[in-house]
Amino acid sequence: MSTPREACSLQWRNIDFKNNTVTIERTRDEKGTRTPKTKNSYRKILVDNLVIDQLKKYKIWCKQILLKHGKTFDDHQLIFITEFNNPLHGMAIHKMFRDTMFKAGILNDDGEPKITFHGLRHTHATILLNGGQNVKVIAEHLGNTPAMIYQIYGHVMKELEEQTMEVFSKSLEIETGAKSGAN
């Protein structure tokens, strides 16, 4: 999962439709395009067929927009553009996401969206952790280090540790009939 700054810098050449990967190699915000913050930020992310299929459809739309504005398509074209062929910036992505949450009615009791765009990144990581995925793989996927994953998601890791102990304890009870200690 990428950040809005990483997404805004993606070019079509960063999408490998054959191997279902997205390559992150730069970042872009209101200050311009530049290299990512850390060496871990450079990465190749494997995505599923659903994402690839949506990107294929979106690519057709982008080609139509470019043609409408008298431009030709090339692989160095930014992926995320407006209907006027202007590049999207991170704040625009945040606003579109927020507007979508309002339109979909996915709101807290206070009328605010239940999740932010950045919150999707945390949800993604938490789902992977709860699914028992390897911390090193999750860190690479997010462009972090394992230490950062432990620091940011330590509470999730603690919950998983407790769940693991419960599973183990129940397993012992089932297998041996033991309630406590050695029988």
Side-chain angles (χ1 to χ4, degrees), residues 14 26 28 34 36 46-47 63 73 84 100 104 107 120-121 124 131-132 136 143 145 169 174 182:
N14 298 125
R26 75 193 143 274
R28 188 173 67 79
R34 60 189 162 285
L46 184 65
V47 294
K63 287 180 177 182
F73 178 84
F84 304 107
T100 301
L107 308 172
L120 289 177
R121 182 177 171 88
H124 181 75
K136 184 177 183 303
T145 63
S169 292
I174 292 169

Side-chain angles (χ1 to χ4, degrees), residues 2-17:
S2 67
T3 67
R5 290 184 305 266
E6 292 169 341
C8 288
S9 72
L10 287 174
Q11 298 171 319
W12 286 107
R13 67 185 180 89
N14 298 125
I15 309 299
D16 182 339
F17 289 99

Side-chain angles (χ1 to χ4, degrees), residues 1-2 14 16 19-20 31 40 49 53 55 60 70-71 105 113 116 122 125 130 136 142-143 166 170 175 177 181:
M1 160 118 351
S2 67
N14 298 125
D16 182 339
N19 295 307
N20 288 26
K31 297 175 187 171
N40 292 330
N49 288 329
D53 290 343
L55 284 169
I60 292 168
K71 308 262 183 186
T116 64
H122 291 296
N130 283 328
K136 184 177 183 303
L142 295 176
E166 287 176 26
K170 286 180 183 175
E175 292 295 319

Side-chain angles (χ1 to χ4, degrees), residues 167-179:
V167 167
F168 182 72
S169 292
K170 286 180 183 175
S171 174
L172 284 178
E173 288 176 24
I174 292 169
E175 292 295 319
T176 64
K179 295 292 181 197

Side-chain angles (χ1 to χ4, degrees), residues 125-170:
T126 303
I127 288 170
L128 293 175
L129 287 167
N130 283 328
Q133 300 305 303
N134 182 289
V135 172
K136 184 177 183 303
V137 173
I138 295 170
E140 289 170 359
H141 189 73
L142 295 176
N144 293 132
T145 63
M148 288 175 71
I149 297 299
Y150 284 114
Q151 180 183 354
I152 296 168
Y153 302 101
H155 63 287
V156 175
M157 305 298 284
K158 182 67 177 163
E159 290 170 16
L160 289 173
E161 182 181 357
E162 290 169 4
Q163 290 173 6
T164 300
M165 183 51 64
E166 287 176 26
V167 167
F168 182 72
S169 292
K170 286 180 183 175

Side-chain angles (χ1 to χ4, degrees), residues 37-152:
K37 290 189 293 188
T38 68
K39 67 179 178 86
N40 292 330
S41 297
Y42 290 90
R43 62 199 186 279
K44 192 173 284 198
I45 302 170
L46 184 65
V47 294
D48 64 18
N49 288 329
L50 177 65
V51 171
I52 291 297
D53 290 343
Q54 291 300 312
L55 284 169
K56 286 177 182 175
K57 292 174 187 174
Y58 180 68
K59 187 175 185 180
I60 292 168
W61 179 85
C62 288
K63 287 180 177 182
Q64 292 170 342
I65 292 298
L66 290 168
L67 186 61
K68 180 179 170 183
H69 292 279
K71 308 262 183 186
T72 58
F73 178 84
D74 71 63
D75 280 349
H76 288 83
Q77 207 49 57
L78 290 172
I79 292 177
F80 296 105
I81 59 172
T82 68
E83 63 185 301
F84 304 107
N85 189 32
N86 296 319
L88 280 176
H89 291 281
M91 290 310 295
I93 289 174
H94 283 289
K95 184 179 178 338
M96 287 188 309
F97 183 79
R98 185 176 168 80
D99 291 349
T100 301
M101 296 295 284
F102 277 115
K103 286 178 186 172
I106 305 171
L107 308 172
N108 289 325
D109 292 337
D110 63 359
E112 287 296 310
K114 284 189 177 184
I115 192 167
T116 64
F117 187 83
H118 189 73
L120 289 177
R121 182 177 171 88
H122 291 296
T123 300
H124 181 75
T126 303
I127 288 170
L128 293 175
L129 287 167
N130 283 328
Q133 300 305 303
N134 182 289
V135 172
K136 184 177 183 303
V137 173
I138 295 170
E140 289 170 359
H141 189 73
L142 295 176
N144 293 132
T145 63
M148 288 175 71
I149 297 299
Y150 284 114
Q151 180 183 354
I152 296 168

